[in-house]
Amino acid sequence: EEGLAAVAQPLEKARSGDIIVVCEPMNPIDQLGQSFGRAIDAALASEQAVLTVPRRLVRTSGPVVAIVEDSNDPVIALATTLASTLGKQAIMLKVHYPRDMPGLPVRLKGIAPYLLLLSRAFLEGKETRFVSQLARASHVPVLITDETSPID
């Protein structure tokens, strides 16, 4: 776990309200390496919001999509606020993990999102690689947070 500590060390300086950005490596081979996985693990282990950015973005328009397991998820309020601020539509996409995960990229392709939002509660007990796989498959950034209002 020495490698994880080395990746996590710079995150100790993050303050409340900061967003930790994890960009997917340009070289797909680097995604298979341990450093990328460690960077995601370290970011998600922090208390800050995390934004994962795929190496290739395909959209500059589309709705803000909150991916939730139930309609009480706090990220729905944030998605609504962000969508309103950005002049976009907010969509709540209810999924059941792990049953719906294989078909999620196809569902998202039909929606053509601008941004995906997930709460930390949604990710609890799930593989952290799911986040980068979701960003890569949908070609849009994924914001993970428990905030209910826009981040300062």
Side-chain angles (χ1 to χ4, degrees):
E1 294 304 314
E2 185 177 309
L4 181 58
V7 173
Q9 192 173 19
L11 298 179
E12 293 173 2
K13 296 180 182 183
R15 299 182 313 258
S16 177
D18 285 352
I19 298 175
I20 297 169
V21 178
V22 180
C23 297
E24 188 177 58
M26 291 305 285
N27 184 346
I29 297 295
D30 293 336
Q31 294 169 23
L32 302 174
Q34 292 182 356
S35 352
F36 181 61
R38 286 184 183 138
I40 290 175
D41 291 344
L44 291 173
S46 73
E47 295 178 7
Q48 284 71 32
V50 176
L51 180 69
T52 63
V53 181
R55 72 177 179 272
R56 191 177 72 122
L57 296 171
V58 296
R59 284 187 251 336
T60 57
S61 63
V64 174
V65 177
I67 298 176
V68 300
E69 285 184 299
D70 70 61
S71 55
N72 296 321
D73 194 308
V75 83
I76 296 168
L78 177 59
T80 302
T81 303
L82 282 174
S84 176
T85 301
L86 296 169
K88 299 191 178 298
Q89 179 185 11
I91 294 177
M92 177 184 74
L93 183 59
K94 200 169 184 178
V95 298
H96 298 282
Y97 187 91
R99 182 189 73 203
D100 294 338
M101 295 305 108
L104 187 56
V106 173
R107 287 176 71 187
L108 289 171
K109 191 177 255 188
I111 296 171
Y114 171 74
L115 175 67
L116 300 175
L117 275 77
L118 299 170
S119 68
R120 286 184 179 275
F122 178 88
L123 290 177
E124 200 168 294
K126 297 171 180 74
E127 280 190 42
T128 55
R129 296 276 171 130
F130 161 73
V131 175
S132 62
Q133 291 166 351
L134 185 58
R136 184 178 331 113
S138 62
H139 302 289
V140 296
V142 178
L143 178 63
I144 300 101
T145 184
D146 277 333
E147 300 293 325
T148 56
S149 60
I151 297 147
D152 297 330

